Amino acid sequence: MELYQQGRYLVARSSGFKINRQGIRKMMEEIQREMDRYPVTARVEADPDVSFGDTNVFNGPVIHGDVRGSQLTWGNNSVNQSQDQSKPIAPGFEAIAQAVVDTLRQLPTLGVSDEDLEDASAVGEEVLNEVVQPEPERGVIRRAVAALKGYLAPIATGAVAAGAVTGGEETARVLIERLSTAL
């Protein structure tokens, strides 16, 4: 892994690239504060003497670039489209995939903060992306599951109760147990 300075931020470069969502969120907040402090305004005027050459009028969609996996409808009154993007779960990883899905469904009802919920969703996505690989890496899954259990632990022990539903402690304990046994 290589570290280098980019402005006020220390950035890591490696082949195993991972997005630092918390860092991005902080950077976006700083940018927004600066934009609020110094709003940008621009006056736009058209110059009638400037010609841009021939004008092309297309009576249909014009697509530039790769369109694999895309769907397009045009001139229809009603449309119903669907795509099957599902991938098979690697044999032996079905239980962990189900436990992660159940955990992600329950987290919003357990009083987890929005920031933790976003981070937990990213961790859960990491597990779900890994279990559909031909040969999932158990280490990646173990670390991600440990992180998910870390979001549940304060609820299960009663350390965090604000905003949690009745029975949230028991639900968190059950989810931790399912994640543990599914590995």
Side-chain angles (χ1 to χ4, degrees):
M1 180 180 297
E2 172 186 342
L3 295 174
Y4 64 97
Q5 185 86 24
Q6 184 174 4
R8 295 187 318 184
Y9 301 99
L10 188 61
V11 180
R13 187 183 314 174
S14 76
S15 60
F17 178 75
K18 294 193 183 200
I19 295 173
N20 180 348
R21 295 180 193 279
Q22 204 168 19
I24 291 172
R25 187 174 26 259
K26 287 180 182 176
M27 184 174 63
M28 291 299 295
E29 289 170 359
E30 288 179 22
I31 291 171
Q32 188 61 51
R33 278 194 299 274
E34 288 298 312
M35 293 300 292
D36 291 344
R37 192 178 313 158
Y38 305 106
V40 176
T41 57
R43 199 172 88 207
V44 178
E45 295 179 11
D47 187 349
D49 299 330
V50 175
S51 172
F52 294 103
D54 296 334
T55 302
N56 295 320
V57 177
F58 297 102
N59 293 314
V62 177
I63 301 168
H64 300 279
D66 190 8
V67 292
R68 265 182 274 149
S70 300
Q71 289 181 314
L72 174 69
T73 61
W74 176 54
N76 298 16
N77 290 330
S78 66
V79 176
N80 183 8
Q81 294 182 335
S82 64
Q83 287 185 341
D84 184 8
Q85 300 273 335
S86 61
K87 297 178 183 178
I89 296 172
F93 292 89
E94 297 87 354
I96 192 64
Q98 188 61 52
V100 168
V101 168
D102 291 344
T103 300
L104 293 178
R105 283 189 185 140
Q106 292 288 330
L107 275 176
T109 66
L110 297 176
V112 176
S113 72
D114 289 342
E115 188 175 284
D116 284 349
L117 188 60
E118 186 178 320
D119 293 343
S121 295
V123 168
E125 245 182 78
E126 188 176 340
V127 172
L128 297 176
N129 287 334
E130 191 63 34
V131 297
V132 296
Q133 300 301 319
E135 292 185 32
E137 291 184 39
R138 290 186 183 276
V140 170
I141 295 170
R142 259 193 321 273
R143 285 187 295 277
V145 167
L148 279 176
K149 290 192 290 188
Y151 293 111
L152 293 167
I155 298 165
T157 60
V160 175
V165 295
T166 304
E169 289 179 22
E170 181 60 28
T171 301
R173 281 194 288 271
V174 168
L175 290 171
I176 289 171
E177 180 64 27
R178 285 194 63 206
L179 287 168
S180 297
T181 58
L183 279 175

